[in-house]
Amino acid sequence: MSFDPLGRSDAELYTQILAREFNLLTVEHVMKFAPIHPVPDRYRWQEADEIVAYAERNNMQVRGHTLVWHIELPDWVYKEECSREHMIQVMQGHIQTVVGHYRGKIMAWDVVNEAIDDNGRLRETIWLQCIGPDYIEIAFRSANETDPNALLFYNDYGGEGAGHKSDAIYSLVKNLRGRGVPIHGVGLQMHVTVSDYPNPKLVIKNMQRYAELGLVVHITEMDVAIDIPVTQDKLAKQASVYQQMLEACLSVSNCQAFVLWGFTDRQSWIPAYMKGYDSGLIFDRDYKPKPAYHALLDTLASKP
Ligand code: XIL
């Protein structure tokens, strides 16, 4: 049963609305380590290449996500010799091959993702355990040597506003920057809910302190999950949260991208990963714009 008066398929609707409404996309899955590098000596380019080609056809820029993370790693990485020298080879080989394959096509890479844990410490990942804390620096230098024109980001959640994790991310990035590591920006994921989101004033202050370091900020994965049942009041609150965060981004010079983690509730990670929550995006499951869509558009229309 088609939910579209024009009878378009789900894929047609998705790709048409995406190109009509957005000028930048992040590849949600197929550029991650496991999907793109499933076995040691083989890479799987097809799906990611198709998305990059789609973006180019539709004059959209692409954020590459993500080179070094502790999740969605293929099993073979865990079977490698956990020595500093060998795991640097594994990590650098992956970065150089993937960044090299897409050289000139990716505006920004999330080079390292979620390396700080919720206590504000370096997360105990295979990269930290086998290489040591300088894996982060090595990753950024490898990516920069491979594509000097791509903007290189550290990306994380929970550090959007104020707090110990935000300060830990800031300290990490300030230290990298201070040692001449080629890092250009910080990605604030902005996975929030209608009742739990950072104070926009503190988000602005956080963005401003990155500006003082000469760093760009991207809001990289925004969604505003709603605790079920979804009501009109909660949809209105959601619209307000989206609008406040866009206003915050527009109010500082170094916030240069506002990216959602999907755009339709029909394809969102929230139902599977946030039990009891739904409806976090700006189009509903039938690709109809929600109040949040109109709120964002009103904000953009009000700016010079
Ligand atoms: C999520 C995807 O949306 C899911 O489909 C996948 O199963 C797991 O990863 N932070 C990130 C994203 O940086 O890569 C994650 O995306 C969400 C949290």
Side-chain angles (χ1 to χ4, degrees):
M1 185 270 283
S2 165
F3 47 82
D4 176 45
L6 301 179
R8 288 168 293 180
S9 71
D10 186 15
E12 284 168 335
L13 265 172
Y14 191 98
T15 51
Q16 288 173 15
I17 293 172
L18 178 61
R20 186 186 75 212
E21 301 290 346
F22 300 90
N23 61 11
L24 168 64
L25 66 81
T26 300
V27 181
E28 178 180 5
H29 185 62
V30 293
M31 278 190 184
K32 289 170 177 172
F33 210 120
I36 208 165
H37 192 181
V39 294
D41 54 357
R42 191 159 56 81
Y43 291 81
R44 194 163 58 200
W45 302 119
Q46 184 184 344
E47 292 169 290
D49 285 356
E50 286 170 2
I51 295 173
V52 170
Y54 161 87
E56 285 177 337
R57 283 197 306 274
N58 290 283
N59 300 315
M60 298 175 77
Q61 292 186 294
V62 179
R63 296 190 87 262
H65 178 82
T66 178
L67 297 169
V68 179
W69 194 25
H70 60 288
I71 300 176
E72 295 192 74
L73 284 173
D75 292 343
W76 66 264
V77 168
Y78 292 100
K79 295 175 183 148
E80 294 294 310
E81 176 203 343
C82 178
S83 68
R84 175 176 165 81
E85 183 187 3
H86 183 65
M87 285 304 275
I88 287 176
Q89 269 181 356
V90 168
M91 184 181 76
Q92 280 188 321
H94 177 78
I95 292 170
Q96 289 161 356
T97 306
V98 175
V99 175
H101 183 84
Y102 292 110
R103 186 181 296 117
K105 296 176 180 286
I106 302 292
M107 178 266 282
W109 276 107
D110 290 331
V111 175
V112 174
N113 196 36
E114 303 181 359
I116 299 288
D117 69 19
D118 294 351
N119 300 311
R121 289 190 291 265
L122 276 181
R123 193 183 294 275
E124 283 297 328
T125 68
I126 189 170
W127 308 112
L128 179 68
Q129 288 157 2
C130 300
I131 296 173
D134 64 338
Y135 83 88
I136 297 173
E137 171 175 347
I138 294 166
F140 275 93
R141 292 189 189 282
S142 300
N144 182 249
E145 286 155 13
T146 308
D147 186 350
N149 296 318
L151 293 177
L152 305 181
F153 278 71
Y154 173 78
N155 188 53
D156 213 331
Y157 68 90
E160 293 86 359
H164 66 280
K165 181 165 181 177
S166 180
D167 290 342
I169 293 168
Y170 176 78
S171 301
L172 167 71
V173 169
K174 183 178 183 181
N175 178 272
L176 291 169
R177 189 84 176 161
R179 288 187 293 108
V181 175
I183 178 170
H184 307 109
V186 174
L188 307 179
Q189 290 185 9
M190 202 62 80
H191 291 298
V192 299
T193 76
V194 287
S195 55
D196 180 15
Y197 56 92
N199 180 329
K201 291 187 174 63
L202 299 179
V203 174
I204 290 169
K205 276 184 72 175
N206 194 29
M207 290 176 172
Q208 286 170 334
R209 66 177 176 173
Y210 285 123
E212 288 157 15
L213 296 180
L215 288 166
V216 169
V217 172
H218 285 177
I219 289 180
T220 51
E221 306 181 14
M222 187 164 184
D223 42 33
V224 184
I226 293 178
D227 52 305
I228 296 167
V230 175
T231 65
Q232 288 309 311
D233 284 353
K234 292 177 187 177
L235 288 168
K237 176 70 177 178
Q238 178 186 61
S240 169
V241 175
Y242 270 109
Q243 193 161 41
Q244 291 176 67
M245 297 309 171
L246 178 57
E247 291 280 2
C249 180
L250 294 171
S251 72
V252 297
S253 60
N254 66 320
C255 183
Q256 296 180 1
F258 189 84
V259 182
L260 314 184
W261 204 237
F263 67 88
T264 168
D265 294 333
R266 194 176 184 83
Q267 297 196 32
S268 166
W269 75 310
I270 289 171
Y273 282 81
M274 293 180 70
K275 285 285 165 263
Y277 286 84
D278 196 358
S279 192
L281 293 164
I282 65 172
F283 286 81
D284 68 18
R285 281 182 169 75
D286 291 335
Y287 293 92
K288 300 284 178 296
K290 296 159 62 177
Y293 169 84
H294 297 294
L296 290 174
L297 225 54
D298 290 349
T299 297
L300 291 173
S302 70
K303 299 299 175 188

